[in-house]
Coordinates of all heavy atoms in Angstrom, one line a residue:
M831 N 130.0 92.1 108.5 CA 128.7 92.6 108.2 C 127.7 91.4 108.1 O 128.0 90.4 107.4 CB 128.7 93.4 106.9 CG 127.6 94.3 106.7 SD 127.7 95.2 105.1 CE 126.5 94.4 104.2
A832 N 126.5 91.5 108.6 CA 125.5 90.5 108.5 C 125.0 90.3 107.1 O 124.7 91.4 106.5 CB 124.4 90.7 109.6
T833 N 124.8 89.2 106.7 CA 124.0 89.0 105.4 C 122.9 88.0 105.7 O 122.8 87.3 106.6 CB 125.0 88.3 104.4 OG1 125.6 87.2 105.0 CG2 126.1 89.3 104.0
C834 N 121.9 88.2 104.8 CA 120.7 87.4 104.9 C 120.8 86.1 104.1 O 121.2 86.0 103.0 CB 119.5 88.2 104.3 SG 118.0 87.2 104.3
T835 N 120.5 85.0 104.8 CA 120.6 83.7 104.2 C 119.2 83.1 103.9 O 119.1 81.9 103.7 CB 121.3 82.7 105.2 OG1 120.6 82.7 106.5 CG2 122.7 83.1 105.5
H836 N 118.2 84.0 103.8 CA 116.8 83.5 103.6 C 116.3 83.9 102.2 O 115.0 83.9 102.1 CB 115.9 84.0 104.7 CG 116.4 83.7 106.1 ND1 117.4 84.4 106.7 CD2 116.2 82.5 106.8 CE1 117.6 83.8 107.9 NE2 117.0 82.7 108.0
I837 N 117.1 84.3 101.3 CA 116.6 84.8 100.0 C 115.8 83.7 99.3 O 114.8 84.0 98.5 CB 117.8 85.2 99.0 CG1 118.5 86.4 99.7 CG2 117.3 85.6 97.7 CD1 117.7 87.6 100.0
D838 N 116.0 82.5 99.6 CA 115.2 81.4 99.0 C 113.8 81.4 99.5 O 112.9 80.6 99.1 CB 115.9 80.0 99.1 CG 116.1 79.7 100.6 OD1 116.2 80.6 101.4 OD2 116.2 78.5 100.9
H839 N 113.5 82.2 100.6 CA 112.1 82.4 101.1 C 111.3 83.4 100.3 O 110.1 83.6 100.6 CB 112.1 82.7 102.6 CG 112.5 81.6 103.5 ND1 111.5 80.9 104.2 CD2 113.6 81.0 103.8 CE1 112.0 80.0 104.9 NE2 113.3 80.0 104.7
V840 N 112.0 84.1 99.4 CA 111.3 85.2 98.6 C 110.5 84.5 97.5 O 111.1 84.1 96.5 CB 112.3 86.2 98.1 CG1 111.6 87.2 97.2 CG2 112.9 86.9 99.3
H841 N 109.2 84.5 97.6 CA 108.4 83.9 96.6 C 107.5 85.0 95.8 O 106.9 84.7 94.8 CB 107.4 82.9 97.2 CG 108.1 81.7 97.8 ND1 109.2 81.1 97.2 CD2 108.0 81.1 99.0 CE1 109.6 80.1 98.0 NE2 108.9 80.1 99.1
V842 N 107.5 86.1 96.4 CA 106.8 87.3 95.8 C 107.8 88.0 94.9 O 108.7 88.6 95.3 CB 106.2 88.2 96.8 CG1 105.5 89.4 96.1 CG2 105.1 87.5 97.7
T843 N 107.6 87.9 93.5 CA 108.5 88.5 92.6 C 107.8 89.6 91.9 O 108.4 90.4 91.1 CB 109.0 87.5 91.6 OG1 108.0 86.9 91.0 CG2 109.9 86.5 92.3
E844 N 106.5 89.8 92.1 CA 105.7 90.9 91.6 C 104.8 91.5 92.6 O 104.0 90.7 93.2 CB 104.9 90.4 90.3 CG 104.3 91.6 89.7 CD 104.0 91.3 88.2 OE1 104.3 90.3 87.7 OE2 103.4 92.3 87.6
L845 N 105.0 92.7 92.9 CA 104.2 93.4 93.9 C 102.8 93.6 93.4 O 102.6 93.8 92.2 CB 104.8 94.7 94.3 CG 106.2 94.7 94.9 CD1 106.7 96.1 95.1 CD2 106.2 93.9 96.2
P846 N 101.7 93.5 94.3 CA 100.4 93.8 93.9 C 100.2 95.2 93.4 O 101.0 96.1 93.8 CB 99.5 93.6 95.1 CG 100.6 93.7 96.3 CD 101.9 93.3 95.7
A847 N 99.3 95.4 92.4 CA 99.2 96.8 91.8 C 98.6 97.7 92.8 O 98.9 98.9 92.8 CB 98.2 96.7 90.6
A848 N 97.8 97.2 93.7 CA 97.2 98.1 94.7 C 96.7 97.2 95.9 O 96.4 96.0 95.8 CB 96.0 98.8 94.2
V849 N 96.8 97.8 97.1 CA 96.3 97.1 98.3 C 95.4 98.1 99.1 O 95.5 99.3 98.9 CB 97.4 96.6 99.2 CG1 98.2 95.5 98.5 CG2 98.2 97.7 99.8
D850 N 94.5 97.6 99.9 CA 93.6 98.5 100.6 C 94.1 98.9 102.0 O 93.6 99.8 102.6 CB 92.3 97.7 100.9 CG 91.5 97.4 99.6 OD1 91.7 98.2 98.7 OD2 90.8 96.4 99.5
G851 N 95.2 98.3 102.4 CA 95.8 98.6 103.7 C 96.3 97.4 104.4 O 96.4 96.3 103.8
C852 N 96.6 97.4 105.7 CA 97.0 96.3 106.5 C 95.9 95.3 106.5 O 94.8 95.7 107.0 CB 97.4 96.8 107.9 SG 97.7 95.3 109.0
A853 N 96.1 94.1 106.1 CA 95.0 93.1 106.1 C 94.4 92.9 107.4 O 93.2 92.8 107.6 CB 95.5 91.8 105.5
D854 N 95.2 92.9 108.5 CA 94.7 92.5 109.8 C 94.0 93.8 110.4 O 93.0 93.6 111.1 CB 95.9 92.1 110.7 CG 96.5 90.9 110.2 OD1 95.9 89.9 109.9 OD2 97.8 90.9 109.9
C855 N 94.5 95.0 110.2 CA 93.9 96.2 110.7 C 92.5 96.3 110.0 O 91.5 96.8 110.6 CB 94.7 97.4 110.4 SG 96.1 97.6 111.5
L856 N 92.4 96.1 108.7 CA 91.2 96.2 108.0 C 90.1 95.3 108.6 O 88.9 95.7 108.7 CB 91.3 95.9 106.5 CG 92.1 97.0 105.7 CD1 92.4 96.5 104.3 CD2 91.2 98.2 105.6
Q857 N 90.6 94.1 109.0 CA 89.6 93.1 109.5 C 89.1 93.6 110.9 O 87.9 93.4 111.2 CB 90.4 91.8 109.7 CG 89.5 90.6 109.4 CD 90.3 89.4 109.1 OE1 91.2 89.1 109.9 NE2 90.0 88.7 107.9
S858 N 90.0 94.2 111.7 CA 89.5 94.6 113.0 C 89.1 96.1 113.1 O 88.7 96.5 114.2 CB 90.7 94.3 114.1 OG 91.8 95.0 113.6
G859 N 89.2 96.8 112.0 CA 88.8 98.2 112.0 C 89.8 99.1 112.7 O 89.3 100.1 113.3
E860 N 91.0 98.7 112.7 CA 92.0 99.5 113.4 C 93.0 100.3 112.5 O 93.0 99.9 111.3 CB 92.9 98.6 114.4 CG 92.0 98.1 115.6 CD 92.8 97.1 116.4 OE1 92.9 95.9 116.0 OE2 93.3 97.5 117.4
P861 N 93.6 101.4 112.9 CA 94.4 102.1 112.0 C 95.9 101.6 111.9 O 96.4 101.0 112.9 CB 94.4 103.5 112.7 CG 94.3 103.2 114.2 CD 93.5 102.0 114.2
W862 N 96.5 101.9 110.8 CA 97.9 101.5 110.6 C 98.6 102.8 110.2 O 98.0 103.8 109.8 CB 98.0 100.4 109.6 CG 97.6 100.9 108.2 CD1 98.3 101.6 107.3 CD2 96.3 100.8 107.7 NE1 97.5 101.9 106.2 CE2 96.3 101.4 106.4 CE3 95.0 100.2 108.1 CZ2 95.1 101.5 105.6 CZ3 94.0 100.3 107.3 CH2 94.0 100.9 106.0
L863 N 100.0 102.7 110.3 CA 100.8 103.8 109.9 C 101.4 103.5 108.5 O 101.0 104.1 107.5 CB 101.8 104.1 110.9 CG 102.7 105.4 110.8 CD1 101.7 106.6 110.7 CD2 103.7 105.6 111.8
H864 N 102.4 102.6 108.5 CA 103.1 102.3 107.2 C 102.9 100.8 106.9 O 102.6 100.0 107.8 CB 104.6 102.5 107.3 CG 104.9 104.0 107.5 ND1 105.8 104.5 108.3 CD2 104.3 105.1 107.0 CE1 105.9 105.8 108.3 NE2 104.9 106.2 107.5
L865 N 102.9 100.5 105.6 CA 102.6 99.1 105.2 C 103.9 98.4 104.7 O 104.7 98.9 104.1 CB 101.6 99.1 104.0 CG 100.3 99.7 104.3 CD1 99.4 99.8 103.1 CD2 99.6 98.9 105.5
R866 N 103.9 97.1 105.1 CA 105.0 96.2 104.7 C 104.3 94.9 104.1 O 103.3 94.5 104.6 CB 105.8 95.7 106.0 CG 106.2 96.9 106.9 CD 107.2 97.8 106.3 NE 107.7 98.8 107.2 CZ 107.7 100.1 106.9 NH1 107.3 100.5 105.7 NH2 108.2 100.9 107.7
I867 N 105.0 94.3 103.1 CA 104.5 93.1 102.5 C 105.5 91.9 102.8 O 106.7 92.1 102.8 CB 104.3 93.2 101.0 CG1 103.6 92.0 100.4 CG2 105.6 93.5 100.3 CD1 103.1 92.2 99.0
C868 N 104.9 90.8 103.2 CA 105.7 89.6 103.4 C 106.1 89.0 102.1 O 105.3 88.8 101.2 CB 104.9 88.6 104.2 SG 105.7 86.9 104.3
L869 N 107.4 88.9 101.8 CA 107.9 88.4 100.6 C 107.8 86.8 100.4 O 108.1 86.4 99.3 CB 109.3 88.9 100.3 CG 109.5 90.4 100.0 CD1 110.9 90.8 99.8 CD2 108.6 90.8 98.9
E870 N 107.3 86.2 101.4 CA 107.2 84.8 101.3 C 105.7 84.4 100.8 O 105.5 83.6 99.9 CB 107.5 84.0 102.6 CG 107.3 82.5 102.5 CD 108.2 81.7 103.3 OE1 109.2 82.3 103.8 OE2 108.0 80.5 103.5
C871 N 104.7 85.1 101.4 CA 103.3 84.7 101.0 C 102.5 86.0 100.5 O 101.3 85.8 100.2 CB 102.7 84.1 102.2 SG 102.3 85.3 103.6
G872 N 103.0 87.2 100.6 CA 102.3 88.3 100.1 C 101.4 88.9 101.1 O 100.6 89.9 100.8
H873 N 101.4 88.5 102.4 CA 100.6 89.1 103.5 C 101.0 90.6 103.7 O 102.1 90.9 103.7 CB 100.8 88.4 104.8 CG 100.2 89.0 106.0 ND1 100.9 90.0 106.8 CD2 99.0 88.9 106.6 CE1 100.2 90.4 107.7 NE2 99.0 89.8 107.7
V874 N 100.0 91.5 103.7 CA 100.3 92.9 103.9 C 100.0 93.2 105.4 O 98.9 93.0 105.8 CB 99.4 93.8 103.0 CG1 99.6 95.2 103.3 CG2 99.8 93.5 101.5
G875 N 101.0 93.7 106.0 CA 100.8 94.1 107.4 C 101.4 95.5 107.8 O 101.9 96.2 106.8
C876 N 101.2 95.9 109.0 CA 101.6 97.3 109.3 C 103.0 97.3 110.1 O 103.4 96.3 110.7 CB 100.5 98.0 110.1 SG 99.9 97.0 111.5
C877 N 103.6 98.4 110.1 CA 105.0 98.6 110.5 C 105.0 98.6 112.1 O 104.0 98.6 112.8 CB 105.6 99.9 110.0 SG 104.8 101.3 110.8
D878 N 106.2 98.6 112.6 CA 106.4 98.6 114.0 C 106.1 99.9 114.7 O 106.0 100.0 115.9 CB 107.9 98.2 114.4 CG 108.1 96.7 114.2 OD1 107.2 96.0 114.0 OD2 109.3 96.3 114.4
D879 N 105.8 101.0 113.9 CA 105.3 102.3 114.5 C 103.8 102.3 114.5 O 103.2 103.2 115.0 CB 105.9 103.4 113.7 CG 107.4 103.6 113.9 OD1 107.9 103.3 115.1 OD2 108.1 104.0 113.0
S880 N 103.2 101.3 113.9 CA 101.7 101.2 114.0 C 101.3 100.6 115.4 O 102.1 99.8 116.0 CB 101.2 100.3 112.9 OG 101.6 100.8 111.6
P881 N 100.1 100.9 115.8 CA 99.7 100.3 117.1 C 99.8 98.8 117.2 O 100.1 98.3 118.3 CB 98.2 100.8 117.3 CG 98.2 102.0 116.3 CD 99.1 101.7 115.2
N882 N 99.5 98.1 116.1 CA 99.4 96.6 116.2 C 100.6 95.8 115.7 O 100.6 94.6 115.8 CB 98.1 96.1 115.7 CG 96.9 96.7 116.5 OD1 96.7 96.3 117.6 ND2 96.2 97.6 115.9
Q883 N 101.5 96.5 115.0 CA 102.7 95.9 114.4 C 102.4 94.5 113.8 O 103.0 93.5 114.0 CB 103.7 95.7 115.6 CG 103.9 97.0 116.3 CD 105.0 96.9 117.4 OE1 105.4 95.8 117.8 NE2 105.4 98.0 117.9
H884 N 101.4 94.5 112.8 CA 101.0 93.2 112.3 C 102.1 92.6 111.3 O 102.0 91.4 111.2 CB 99.7 93.5 111.5 CG 98.5 93.6 112.4 ND1 97.6 94.6 112.3 CD2 98.0 92.8 113.4 CE1 96.7 94.5 113.2 NE2 96.9 93.4 113.9
A885 N 102.9 93.4 110.7 CA 103.9 92.8 109.9 C 104.9 91.9 110.7 O 105.2 90.8 110.3 CB 104.7 93.8 109.1
T886 N 105.3 92.5 111.9 CA 106.2 91.7 112.8 C 105.5 90.5 113.4 O 106.0 89.4 113.5 CB 106.7 92.6 113.9 OG1 107.5 93.6 113.3 CG2 107.6 91.8 114.9
A887 N 104.2 90.7 113.7 CA 103.4 89.6 114.3 C 103.2 88.5 113.3 O 103.3 87.3 113.6 CB 102.0 90.1 114.7
H888 N 103.0 88.8 112.0 CA 102.9 87.8 110.9 C 104.2 87.1 110.8 O 104.2 85.8 110.6 CB 102.6 88.5 109.6 CG 102.6 87.5 108.4 ND1 101.6 86.6 108.2 CD2 103.6 87.4 107.5 CE1 102.0 85.9 107.0 NE2 103.2 86.3 106.6
A889 N 105.3 87.8 110.8 CA 106.7 87.1 110.6 C 106.9 86.1 111.8 O 107.4 85.0 111.5 CB 107.8 88.2 110.6
R890 N 106.5 86.5 113.0 CA 106.7 85.7 114.1 C 105.8 84.5 114.1 O 106.3 83.3 114.2 CB 106.4 86.5 115.4 CG 106.8 85.8 116.7 CD 106.5 86.7 117.9 NE 105.1 87.1 117.9 CZ 104.6 88.3 118.0 NH1 105.5 89.3 118.1 NH2 103.3 88.5 118.0
D891 N 104.5 84.7 113.7 CA 103.6 83.6 113.8 C 103.8 82.6 112.6 O 103.6 81.4 112.7 CB 102.1 84.1 113.7 CG 101.8 84.9 114.9 OD1 102.5 84.8 115.9 OD2 100.8 85.6 114.9
S892 N 104.2 83.1 111.4 CA 104.3 82.3 110.3 C 105.7 81.8 110.0 O 105.9 80.9 109.2 CB 103.8 83.0 109.0 OG 104.6 84.1 108.8
E893 N 106.7 82.4 110.7 CA 108.1 82.2 110.5 C 108.5 82.5 109.0 O 109.3 81.8 108.4 CB 108.5 80.7 110.8 CG 108.2 80.4 112.3 CD 108.7 79.1 112.7 OE1 109.2 78.3 111.9 OE2 108.6 78.8 114.0
H894 N 107.9 83.5 108.5 CA 108.2 84.1 107.2 C 109.2 85.2 107.5 O 108.9 86.2 108.1 CB 107.0 84.6 106.4 CG 106.1 83.5 106.0 ND1 104.8 83.8 105.5 CD2 106.3 82.2 106.0 CE1 104.2 82.6 105.2 NE2 105.1 81.6 105.5
P895 N 110.5 85.1 107.0 CA 111.5 86.0 107.6 C 111.6 87.4 107.0 O 112.1 88.3 107.7 CB 112.8 85.2 107.2 CG 112.5 84.4 106.0 CD 111.0 84.0 106.2
I896 N 111.1 87.6 105.7 CA 111.5 88.8 105.0 C 110.3 89.6 104.6 O 109.4 89.1 104.1 CB 112.4 88.5 103.7 CG1 113.6 87.7 104.1 CG2 112.7 89.8 103.1 CD1 114.4 87.3 102.9
I897 N 110.4 90.9 104.9 CA 109.3 91.9 104.5 C 110.0 92.9 103.6 O 111.2 93.1 103.6 CB 108.6 92.6 105.7 CG1 109.7 93.3 106.6 CG2 107.8 91.7 106.5 CD1 109.2 94.4 107.4
R898 N 109.1 93.6 102.8 CA 109.5 94.7 102.0 C 108.6 95.9 102.3 O 107.4 95.7 102.5 CB 109.5 94.4 100.5 CG 110.1 95.4 99.6 CD 109.8 94.9 98.2 NE 110.6 95.6 97.1 CZ 110.1 96.7 96.6 NH1 109.0 97.3 96.9 NH2 110.8 97.3 95.6
S899 N 109.1 97.1 102.3 CA 108.2 98.2 102.4 C 107.4 98.4 101.2 O 107.8 98.2 100.1 CB 109.1 99.5 102.6 OG 108.3 100.6 102.7
L900 N 106.1 98.8 101.5 CA 105.2 99.1 100.4 C 105.0 100.7 100.2 O 104.2 101.1 99.5 CB 103.8 98.5 100.6 CG 103.7 97.0 100.2 CD1 102.3 96.6 100.4 CD2 104.1 96.7 98.8
E901 N 105.8 101.4 101.0 CA 105.6 102.9 101.0 C 106.1 103.4 99.7 O 107.1 102.9 99.2 CB 106.3 103.5 102.2 CG 105.7 103.1 103.5 CD 104.3 103.6 103.7 OE1 104.0 104.8 103.5 OE2 103.4 102.7 104.0
P902 N 105.5 104.5 99.2 CA 105.9 105.1 97.9 C 107.4 105.5 97.9 O 107.8 106.1 98.9 CB 105.0 106.3 97.7 CG 103.8 106.0 98.6 CD 104.3 105.1 99.7
G903 N 108.1 105.0 96.9 CA 109.5 105.4 96.8 C 110.4 104.6 97.7 O 111.7 104.8 97.7
E904 N 109.9 103.6 98.5 CA 110.8 102.8 99.3 C 110.9 101.4 98.7 O 109.9 100.8 98.4 CB 110.2 102.7 100.8 CG 110.2 104.0 101.5 CD 109.8 103.9 103.0 OE1 109.6 102.8 103.4 OE2 109.7 105.0 103.6
D905 N 112.1 100.9 98.6 CA 112.3 99.6 98.1 C 113.2 98.7 99.0 O 113.7 97.7 98.5 CB 112.9 99.6 96.7 CG 114.3 100.3 96.7 OD1 114.8 100.7 97.8 OD2 114.9 100.3 95.6
W906 N 113.2 99.0 100.2 CA 114.1 98.2 101.1 C 113.3 97.0 101.7 O 112.1 97.0 101.8 CB 114.7 99.1 102.3 CG 113.6 99.8 103.1 CD1 113.2 101.1 102.9 CD2 112.8 99.3 104.2 NE1 112.2 101.4 103.9 CE2 112.0 100.3 104.6 CE3 112.8 98.1 104.8 CZ2 111.0 100.1 105.7 CZ3 111.9 97.9 105.9 CH2 111.0 98.9 106.3
S907 N 114.1 96.0 102.0 CA 113.6 94.8 102.7 C 114.3 94.6 104.0 O 115.3 95.2 104.2 CB 113.8 93.6 101.8 OG 113.0 93.7 100.6
W908 N 113.7 93.8 104.8 CA 114.2 93.5 106.1 C 114.1 92.1 106.5 O 113.0 91.5 106.3 CB 113.5 94.4 107.2 CG 113.9 94.1 108.6 CD1 113.2 93.4 109.5 CD2 115.0 94.6 109.3 NE1 113.8 93.4 110.7 CE2 114.9 94.1 110.6 CE3 116.1 95.4 108.9 CZ2 116.0 94.3 111.6 CZ3 117.1 95.6 109.9 CH2 117.0 95.1 111.2
C909 N 115.1 91.5 107.0 CA 115.0 90.1 107.4 C 115.0 90.0 108.9 O 115.9 90.6 109.6 CB 116.3 89.3 107.0 SG 116.2 87.5 107.6
Y910 N 113.9 89.5 109.5 CA 113.7 89.4 110.9 C 114.7 88.5 111.6 O 115.1 88.7 112.8 CB 112.3 89.0 111.3 CG 111.3 90.1 111.0 CD1 110.4 90.0 109.9 CD2 111.1 91.1 111.9 CE1 109.5 91.0 109.7 CE2 110.1 92.1 111.8 CZ 109.3 92.0 110.6 OH 108.3 93.0 110.4
V911 N 115.1 87.5 110.9 CA 115.9 86.4 111.5 C 117.4 87.0 111.6 O 118.0 86.9 112.7 CB 115.9 85.1 110.7 CG1 116.8 84.1 111.4 CG2 114.5 84.6 110.6
D912 N 117.9 87.5 110.5 CA 119.3 88.0 110.5 C 119.3 89.5 111.0 O 120.4 90.0 111.2 CB 119.8 88.0 109.1 CG 119.9 86.5 108.6 OD1 120.5 85.7 109.4 OD2 119.4 86.2 107.5
E913 N 118.1 90.1 111.2 CA 118.1 91.5 111.5 C 119.0 92.4 110.7 O 119.9 93.1 111.1 CB 118.4 91.7 113.0 CG 117.5 91.0 113.9 CD 117.6 91.3 115.4 OE1 118.8 91.4 115.8 OE2 116.6 91.5 116.1
V914 N 118.8 92.2 109.4 CA 119.5 93.0 108.4 C 118.6 93.6 107.3 O 117.7 92.9 106.9 CB 120.6 92.1 107.8 CG1 120.1 90.9 107.0 CG2 121.6 92.9 106.9
G915 N 118.9 94.8 106.9 CA 118.2 95.5 105.9 C 118.9 95.3 104.6 O 120.2 95.1 104.6
M916 N 118.2 95.3 103.5 CA 118.8 95.1 102.2 C 117.9 95.5 101.1 O 116.7 95.8 101.3 CB 119.2 93.5 102.0 CG 117.9 92.7 102.1 SD 118.2 91.0 102.5 CE 116.8 90.6 103.5
R917 N 118.4 95.5 99.9 CA 117.6 95.7 98.7 C 117.6 94.4 97.9 O 118.7 93.9 97.6 CB 118.1 96.9 97.8 CG 117.7 98.2 98.5 CD 117.8 99.4 97.5 NE 117.2 100.5 98.1 CZ 117.7 101.2 99.1 NH1 118.8 100.8 99.7 NH2 117.1 102.2 99.7
I918 N 116.5 93.8 97.6 CA 116.4 92.6 96.9 C 116.0 92.9 95.4 O 115.0 93.5 95.2 CB 115.3 91.6 97.5 CG1 115.7 91.3 98.9 CG2 115.2 90.3 96.7 CD1 114.7 90.5 99.7
T919 N 116.9 92.5 94.5 CA 116.6 92.8 93.1 C 115.6 91.7 92.5 O 115.5 90.6 93.1 CB 117.9 92.8 92.3 OG1 118.6 91.6 92.5 CG2 118.8 93.9 92.7
G920 N 115.0 92.1 91.4 CA 114.2 91.1 90.7 C 112.7 91.1 91.2 O 112.0 90.2 90.8
I921 N 112.3 92.1 92.0 CA 110.9 92.2 92.4 C 110.3 93.4 91.6 O 110.8 94.5 91.7 CB 110.8 92.5 93.9 CG1 111.4 91.3 94.6 CG2 109.3 92.6 94.3 CD1 111.4 91.4 96.1
E922 N 109.3 93.0 90.8 CA 108.7 93.9 89.8 C 107.6 94.7 90.5 O 106.9 94.2 91.4 CB 108.2 93.2 88.6 CG 109.3 92.3 87.9 CD 110.3 93.0 87.2 OE1 110.0 94.1 86.6 OE2 111.5 92.5 87.2
G923 N 107.3 95.9 89.9 CA 106.0 96.5 90.2 C 106.1 97.5 91.3 O 107.1 97.5 92.1
E924 N 105.0 98.3 91.4 CA 104.9 99.3 92.5 C 103.5 99.2 93.0 O 102.6 99.1 92.2 CB 105.3 100.6 92.0 CG 105.5 101.6 93.1 CD 106.2 102.9 92.7 OE1 107.0 102.8 91.8 OE2 105.9 104.0 93.3
T925 N 103.3 99.3 94.3 CA 101.9 99.1 94.8 C 101.3 100.4 95.2 O 101.9 101.3 95.9 CB 102.0 98.2 96.1 OG1 102.7 97.0 95.8 CG2 100.6 97.9 96.6
R926 N 100.1 100.6 94.7 CA 99.3 101.8 95.1 C 98.7 101.5 96.5 O 98.0 100.5 96.7 CB 98.2 102.1 94.1 CG 97.8 103.5 94.0 CD 97.2 103.9 92.6 NE 96.9 102.7 91.7 CZ 95.7 102.1 91.7 NH1 94.7 102.4 92.6 NH2 95.5 101.0 90.9
I927 N 98.9 102.4 97.4 CA 98.4 102.2 98.8 C 97.6 103.4 99.2 O 97.9 104.5 98.7 CB 99.5 102.0 99.8 CG1 100.4 103.2 100.0 CG2 100.3 100.7 99.5 CD1 101.4 103.1 101.1
P928 N 96.6 103.2 100.0 CA 95.8 104.4 100.5 C 96.6 105.1 101.5 O 97.5 104.6 102.1 CB 94.6 103.7 101.1 CG 95.0 102.3 101.6 CD 96.1 102.0 100.6
P929 N 96.2 106.4 101.8 CA 96.9 107.2 102.8 C 96.7 106.5 104.2 O 95.6 105.8 104.4 CB 96.3 108.5 102.8 CG 95.1 108.4 101.9 CD 95.2 107.2 101.1
S930 N 97.6 106.6 105.1 CA 97.5 106.0 106.4 C 96.4 106.7 107.2 O 96.2 107.8 107.2 CB 98.8 106.2 107.2 OG 98.5 106.1 108.6
P931 N 95.5 105.8 107.8 CA 94.5 106.4 108.7 C 95.1 107.2 109.8 O 94.3 108.1 110.4 CB 93.8 105.2 109.3 CG 94.2 104.0 108.4 CD 95.5 104.4 107.8
L932 N 96.3 107.0 110.1 CA 96.9 107.9 111.2 C 97.6 109.1 110.6 O 98.3 109.8 111.4 CB 98.0 107.0 111.9 CG 97.4 105.8 112.8 CD1 98.5 104.9 113.4 CD2 96.5 106.4 113.9
G933 N 97.6 109.3 109.3 CA 98.1 110.5 108.7 C 99.6 110.4 108.5 O 100.2 111.5 108.2
G934 N 100.2 109.3 108.6 CA 101.7 109.2 108.4 C 102.0 108.9 107.0 O 103.2 108.6 106.7
Ligands
ZN1207 ZN1 117.7 86.3 106.5
ZN1208 ZN1 97.9 96.2 111.0
ZN1209 ZN1 104.0 85.6 105.0

């Protein structure tokens, strides 16, 4: 079974209380579906089912390996390098997010 060797890249230990949406979509005025947060720098991007896949683009451009879902009730994380899903303990808080502009 694959394991993630990038836990030392996790610098976000407290989730923001609220976000306005995908940072990149908000800037360009485009819609997103689901939100993911980069656990290395806190960048909020959109999922791979969103038109622009900003979370994956951020991980690729910045080489930040791990994201976590910001969707209500979801606490899973994903490492792009190891391609493995996991739950990372020790991350506090829950983020209030607006409804998706795409209705998902
Ligand atoms: Zn990893
Ligand atoms: Zn986006
Ligand atoms: Zn990042």
